[in-house]
Amino acid sequence: MTDISQSPGASSAAKPKGSLFDKDARTKRRNAAEGRFKLYGIAAIGIGLLMLIVLVTNIVTAGTGAFQQSFLELNVELKEDKLDKKGNRNIEDIKKVSTFGYAPLIASALESEVQKLGIQTDLKPKEMGKILSKAAQAELRNYVIANPDEIGKTVSFRFLVNSRVDGYMKGRVTRESIANDKSISVAQLDVVDQLRDSGVLYKAFNPDFIFGSDASDQRPEAAGIGVSMLGSLFMMFVVLALALPIGVAASIYLEEFAPQNRLTDIIEVNISNLAAVPSIVFGILGLAVFINYMHLPTSAPLVGGLVLTLMTLPTIIISTRASLKAVPPSIRDAALGVGASKMQSVFHHVLPLAAPGILTGTIIGLAQALGETAPLLLIGMVGFIASNPPDGIVAGFLSPNSAMPAQIYEWSKRADPAFYERAWGGIIILLIFLVTMNTIAVILRRRFERRW
């Protein structure tokens, strides 16, 4: 046997230059670039979350005050010689007493409370009465009209104070900031401090902000968003009743039955373009068609719902078509293979499987419509609505009303800082609705979706 040996030079040439685990310069640069990209992504997410936290914090900080209001408890003597001079308890005679006739009763009750508490002040009863909201007179009048048998008695009431006093209780108004304010004086704030210390003036939860109606510029403390919530609810009923069946029907036809030709291509392109059209354009269309041409009532939720339906339709059509397209062709082929017609295969097999995506798209479209303001401005849904709409479903659709985003916009324009606080509070309520609707969409999708 021949012993074959390798020379030192040959052995050195056959030895590998490096391990597969050794990183060359190019690999190191590539890994470094990948690491930087990850850091960029983490930084972007962090900045986004930080901005979200700042936004939510500002909204909550500025808006939570709207859910609390300052109240003053008073015992008011409902004098018969002022409210029912004839003494017959005739409701028509009682209604003849205007709200101005109730102001002396409230001022007298406040003066008596101040004297009972031993508060020293040089203010006259009329000046002390300005501590209370102008809504107090209307509240007292409504109570007497609803309960005429209480005339002649002394009844305990919880009245709203005016917006400046409420701002002082919340720290929004200071003694320095009222130097040039004609709505409140330092002497009145002295009385407020003593009433607060005695416990008859306090802050409490204000349900009227959630369930009440808007108020005039002179009574910002009495403004509520409840009527606007009803307006938004009626509009969403219109959008759901029209946009869902029309959008789903159009999607089914375009995706399953429509021939592939130039006309279909034009329709699809226009639907995609409509989804990107600014919402104010739909408002102009609604103003021209529904109000000027069809003469539907201005500011009615029905008109607002029709305008928002036009705006929501492209979103529902696009999401529904995507859901139908996600159903595997084998489902259709299997249905046709066992003798089902084209319509049966679509409605009995494809549509139920696409339902989660359709529901998700519909709810997201409704949430988008709920937060729209620009179209509503053009059709007049920004009017001052100071009372609840008339009873009845038809009246709810046809009576003038506002909507939550339009009401928030109106409050943000008014001069009194109390309206600005209510605008932030309205944003909180609107965000709760939007987050709830989007959460429902996610839950429904995860609950019913099928993976192929």
Side-chain angles (χ1 to χ4, degrees):
M1 178 179 288
T2 306
D3 184 12
I4 301 175
S5 61
Q6 295 179 343
S7 63
S11 175
S12 175
K15 184 178 180 181
K17 294 182 178 180
S19 171
L20 292 174
F21 296 100
D22 293 338
K23 298 178 180 179
D24 57 13
R26 183 179 179 183
T27 303
K28 290 179 180 179
R29 288 195 302 271
R30 184 175 62 192
N31 291 346
E34 183 179 348
R36 288 194 300 272
F37 181 77
K38 290 180 179 180
L39 289 177
Y40 296 153
I42 294 173
I45 294 174
I47 293 173
L49 289 176
L50 178 62
M51 293 298 102
L52 178 62
I53 292 173
V54 171
L55 175 63
V56 173
T57 302
N58 286 337
I59 292 175
V60 172
T61 302
T64 49
F67 296 89
Q68 276 194 328
Q69 201 66 33
S70 301
F71 296 92
L72 177 61
E73 289 188 352
L74 290 178
N75 294 316
V76 182
E77 182 183 358
L78 305 179
K79 299 179 180 180
E80 186 174 12
D81 59 334
K82 297 288 186 181
L83 306 179
D84 187 15
K85 295 180 180 180
K86 295 181 179 180
N88 55 10
R89 299 298 185 268
N90 185 287
I91 196 66
E92 296 301 324
D93 293 336
I94 295 174
K95 287 182 178 180
K96 292 179 181 179
V97 181
S98 67
T99 54
F100 296 103
Y102 289 83
L105 300 180
I106 297 176
S108 176
L110 180 55
E111 182 184 19
S112 300
E113 188 68 26
V114 168
Q115 292 176 353
K116 185 178 72 173
L117 296 174
I119 298 175
Q120 300 296 325
T121 179
D122 295 330
L123 292 174
K124 296 180 180 179
K126 184 177 180 180
E127 292 298 319
M128 280 194 296
K130 293 181 180 180
I131 293 175
L132 292 168
S133 168
K134 292 183 178 181
Q137 302 168 20
E139 180 182 349
L140 183 59
R141 181 175 184 270
N142 293 336
Y143 177 84
V144 172
I145 292 175
N147 303 276
D149 294 335
E150 296 294 318
I151 295 177
K153 301 179 182 178
T154 298
V155 183
S156 179
F157 290 92
R158 190 179 77 159
F159 294 122
L160 289 168
V161 297
N162 70 37
S163 62
R164 296 298 192 274
V165 175
D166 179 64
Y168 180 70
M169 295 283 288
K170 296 175 180 177
R172 188 179 66 245
V173 175
T174 62
R175 291 176 177 265
E176 292 76 16
S177 66
I178 65 168
N180 299 319
D181 195 335
K182 297 181 180 180
S183 300
I184 195 73
S185 65
V186 175
Q188 289 172 326
L189 291 184
D190 292 336
V191 175
V192 167
D193 287 334
Q194 297 180 71
L195 289 173
R196 178 183 58 190
D197 294 339
S198 64
V200 296
L201 177 59
Y202 55 89
K203 291 189 297 181
F205 176 69
N206 182 25
D208 287 338
F209 172 68
I210 301 176
F211 303 108
S213 59
D214 193 13
S216 66
D217 291 346
Q218 303 297 321
R219 302 180 293 115
E221 62 280 347
I225 201 171
V227 174
S228 300
M229 290 171 61
L230 286 178
S232 293
L233 179 64
F234 281 112
M235 284 197 302
M236 291 304 103
F237 282 149
V238 175
V239 176
L240 184 62
L242 296 178
L244 180 60
I246 295 174
V248 172
S251 303
I252 292 174
Y253 175 76
L254 290 174
E255 191 64 32
E256 302 291 341
F257 297 99
Q260 296 299 318
N261 52 33
R262 186 176 297 275
L263 177 61
T264 305
D265 293 339
I266 293 175
I267 293 174
E268 293 178 351
V269 169
N270 279 281
I271 290 174
S272 299
N273 289 336
L274 284 174
V277 170
S279 58
I280 196 168
V281 176
F282 292 100
I284 296 173
L285 177 63
L287 176 64
V289 176
F290 299 129
I291 295 179
N292 294 340
Y293 180 74
M294 299 178 64
H295 302 291
L296 293 176
T298 306
S299 304
L302 174 62
V303 179
L306 291 173
V307 173
L308 295 179
T309 296
L310 296 177
M311 192 193 70
T312 308
L313 269 175
T315 302
I316 295 179
I317 291 174
I318 292 172
S319 62
T320 301
R321 291 193 65 187
S323 300
L324 294 172
K325 194 176 294 183
V327 178
S330 58
I331 301 294
R332 299 172 177 84
D333 297 338
L336 295 174
V338 296
S341 65
K342 178 70 174 177
M343 182 171 291
Q344 288 175 327
S345 67
V346 171
F347 284 92
H348 295 175
H349 301 278
V350 177
L351 191 59
L353 295 176
I358 296 173
L359 287 175
T360 301
T362 301
I363 294 174
I364 292 176
L366 289 175
Q368 177 189 2
L370 181 64
E372 283 294 339
T373 307
L376 305 181
L377 300 181
L378 291 175
I379 63 172
M381 292 197 69
V382 289
F384 171 63
I385 308 298
S387 60
N388 291 318
D391 294 335
I393 296 178
V394 176
F397 284 108
L398 298 178
S399 300
N401 208 328
S402 185
M404 284 192 288
Q407 186 66 74
I408 293 169
Y409 171 77
E410 276 296 301
W411 283 341
S412 66
K413 293 195 307 178
R414 298 182 186 177
D416 198 302
F419 281 117
Y420 194 65
E421 179 185 68
R422 271 160 167 68
W424 285 106
I427 290 173
I428 292 177
I429 294 177
L430 183 59
L431 286 178
I432 290 174
F433 276 96
L434 295 177
V435 170
T436 301
M437 295 176 72
N438 283 278
T439 302
I440 292 173
V442 172
I443 292 174
L444 289 176
R445 187 174 186 86
R446 292 187 176 181
R447 173 67 179 83
F448 296 106
E449 71 176 347
R450 298 279 299 273
R451 297 187 181 275
W452 312 104

